Amino acid sequence: MPRTTAAGEPVPVPAAEAPRPRAARPPRQATGLRQRLAELRGPATAPRPMDARALAALAANPGCRRRALLDGAGVDKGALAQALGAPANFGQSQFAHQRGNSFEARVKADGGADLVRLLHERLRDGSEPPGPGSVATPDLTAPGPQGRTARTALALREATEAGRWALLDHPMVSLDVAGSPAFLEPDAVVVHPDGSWTVVEIKSFPMVDGSADPAKVGAAARQSAVYTLALERVASMIGEPGQGGGAAKNGGAAKNGGAAENGGAAETASASVGPAAPAARADSAPVRARVRHQVLLVCPKDFSNLPTAELVDVRKQLAVTRRQLDRLTRIEEIAAALPEGTTFDLRLTDDGRVPTRPMEELTAAVDSVDAAYAPECLSTCELAAHCRTRSRAAGQVEALGRGVRGELGGLTTVDAVLTAAMNGPADKAPTGDPAVDALRRAAALRAEALAARPEAVACR
């Protein structure tokens, strides 16, 4: 019943307010970050994908904001170093690439049957070997890196649930690096009948009597640890890993520093290989996907083109990589601290070969991001020569190595080190700083040695 006044007149009803227009939603942070990274590398420049080798090098030096930003933005560091006048002096030759590709094709011939056989032989777990035609090779073709990543996850799920051997040739997985996704492509991943996965790393350096160059094996182990870390993310979406987390130690491990320890047998597969395996799987508990912590390193045998393999335990490298990646500063924080208008665009000519941007302007842009140079960067980063030159010009002690930098404590420049060593008090009283006291003691010993040999010429 409508309301009325005392005089019997109806009370006027206020008109309904017009709906207020909704404020436009701000762009999502991910979209803004991608746009900012595109501005940093140049609007017309295609991003350079980050591979596991670069990611392992980045994890080994998490304090380098310069590399984190350049890799996250997809900047071609090799072309950037060339434009700065300090080209990189490392990398594989075209012959090495061709030899590696030829060896990988030989290893994966016949649908990967020989590769899976090598893996089964190294496991020595007493399980039935894969028979002819028992290794599935799913098709991983899909458009774009996101599509290939989704297709790989689906193939891993299907192969795990099938309960049979499967070989994924060049799958693609993703890993979050400082807030930006990195798409990685292992050489191969083998799915076991028990639902576990093994990363396969194929290298062209020789393995003689089960041993290889420890430095190269260590680099391969760090690279494989990155793949393992990314695959663990996929396994967590398929199913929670079972107890143990990985295969047991194997008696046929490589004899170098990156190899697994001898003495044990790998975990026995819980299901047999064969046509009856899928039927038996239907009545059993669902398969728990997990990633084995032993990767299969495949190399030429004794300088030949015949493949041989050994298992390498990467648990140590996996823990280090996970810890170092967690320390990386997020890319958006680094980009937000840059001066307005900073970009690493080379402004190439129409043919895409010659940079036209002035070197002084490009140098200022690179120097606006802090770097953490160390001599180890010379074998892993394309910008290492430029960073070394700038570090030496600034007199930074980092150019002498991380060990020296750690021993010097708060002394960050060579001038500060020399001042602390040479300008000591006359009474030689301790200062309380172990680094300063050690430097002054070394300077005193040097002075005594020179005084005892007047004919010796002091180095300048």
Side-chain angles (χ1 to χ4, degrees):
M1 181 176 181
R3 298 175 58 187
T4 60
T5 63
E9 298 178 355
V11 178
V13 179
E17 296 182 0
R20 297 181 181 179
R22 293 185 178 180
R25 290 185 177 180
R28 292 187 304 173
Q29 184 177 8
T31 304
L33 177 60
R34 286 195 294 267
Q35 182 178 357
R36 178 59 176 142
L37 296 181
E39 294 173 354
L40 288 175
R41 68 174 174 266
T45 305
R48 186 177 183 87
M50 184 187 301
D51 56 10
R53 184 175 300 176
L55 188 53
L58 178 60
N61 190 10
C64 187
R65 299 164 65 93
R66 180 177 297 172
R67 173 153 195 169
L69 180 63
L70 294 177
D71 283 346
V75 176
D76 188 347
K77 297 192 301 296
L80 182 59
Q82 187 77 29
L84 290 171
N89 56 358
F90 73 94
Q92 281 188 325
S93 64
Q94 184 177 2
F95 173 76
H97 277 290
Q98 293 176 351
R99 184 174 183 271
N101 293 336
S102 174
F103 177 70
E104 181 176 345
R106 181 185 182 93
V107 170
K108 296 179 180 178
D110 298 329
D114 291 340
L115 179 58
V116 177
R117 178 186 55 80
L118 277 174
L119 174 59
H120 180 268
E121 290 177 356
R122 295 302 180 268
L123 288 176
R124 296 184 178 93
D125 56 2
S127 62
E128 184 179 349
S134 62
V135 180
T137 55
D139 183 17
L140 304 179
T141 305
Q146 291 86 355
R148 291 185 58 193
T149 302
R151 182 67 187 91
T152 296
L154 179 61
L156 286 170
R157 177 189 294 272
E158 294 174 347
T160 302
E161 294 175 350
R164 58 176 297 185
W165 291 100
L167 175 67
L168 277 67
D169 186 10
H170 284 288
M172 181 159 284
V173 291
S174 65
L175 188 64
D176 184 80
V177 181
S180 179
F183 297 96
L184 311 171
E185 187 177 353
D187 290 334
V189 173
V190 175
V191 179
H192 298 247
D194 65 350
S196 60
W197 308 341
T198 296
V199 175
V200 178
E201 186 66 20
I202 302 175
K203 295 296 183 182
S204 59
F205 56 82
M207 185 179 295
V208 182
D209 294 333
S211 297
D213 185 350
K216 294 181 179 179
V217 173
R222 290 189 294 271
Q223 185 175 344
S224 300
V226 175
Y227 298 137
T228 303
L229 188 61
L231 282 170
E232 285 183 347
R233 174 178 172 271
V234 182
S236 65
M237 295 186 295
I238 294 179
E240 184 178 355
Q243 297 295 330
K249 297 177 183 180
N250 178 271
K255 302 175 184 178
N256 42 59
E261 300 178 8
N262 298 337
E267 184 178 348
T268 305
S270 60
S272 60
V273 180
R281 185 76 66 190
D283 299 331
S284 61
V287 178
R288 299 292 186 180
R290 62 181 176 87
V291 186
R292 291 177 178 248
H293 295 161
Q294 283 183 320
V295 302
L296 186 70
L297 178 62
V298 183
C299 298
K301 181 179 180 180
D302 301 336
F303 303 101
S304 68
N305 203 31
L306 299 176
T308 186
E310 294 292 345
L311 291 172
V312 179
D313 195 329
V314 297
R315 283 177 292 185
K316 178 180 178 181
Q317 291 83 356
L318 185 62
V320 172
T321 302
R322 184 183 290 111
R323 182 174 65 251
Q324 297 292 64
L325 289 180
D326 290 341
R327 292 177 52 195
L328 285 174
T329 306
R330 297 186 66 85
I331 293 178
E332 57 264 27
E333 297 178 8
I334 304 176
L338 294 178
E340 188 68 24
T342 301
T343 178
F344 307 105
D345 189 7
L346 302 180
R347 298 172 190 165
L348 300 175
T349 55
D350 294 338
D351 59 1
R353 297 182 179 180
V354 181
T356 62
R357 190 174 181 187
M359 183 183 298
E360 296 77 10
E361 184 179 337
L362 192 59
T363 302
V366 173
D367 291 345
S368 65
V369 191
D370 294 335
Y373 170 77
E376 293 82 0
C377 298
L378 292 172
S379 60
T380 58
C381 182
E382 295 86 343
L383 281 176
H386 171 78
C387 296
R388 178 181 60 180
T389 301
R390 307 297 287 184
S391 180
R392 288 177 175 176
Q396 297 176 350
V397 296
E398 284 83 354
L400 304 177
R402 292 193 179 101
V404 176
R405 175 67 186 91
E407 293 290 340
L408 292 176
L411 303 175
T412 59
T413 64
V414 175
D415 291 339
V417 172
L418 295 178
T419 300
M422 301 301 180
N423 298 341
D427 57 0
K428 300 181 180 179
T431 63
D433 188 336
V436 175
D437 294 340
L439 287 170
R440 291 177 179 175
R441 177 59 179 165
L445 293 175
R446 176 178 178 273
E448 293 177 4
L450 293 177
R453 297 283 304 273
E455 67 277 8
V457 179
C459 59
R460 294 289 187 262

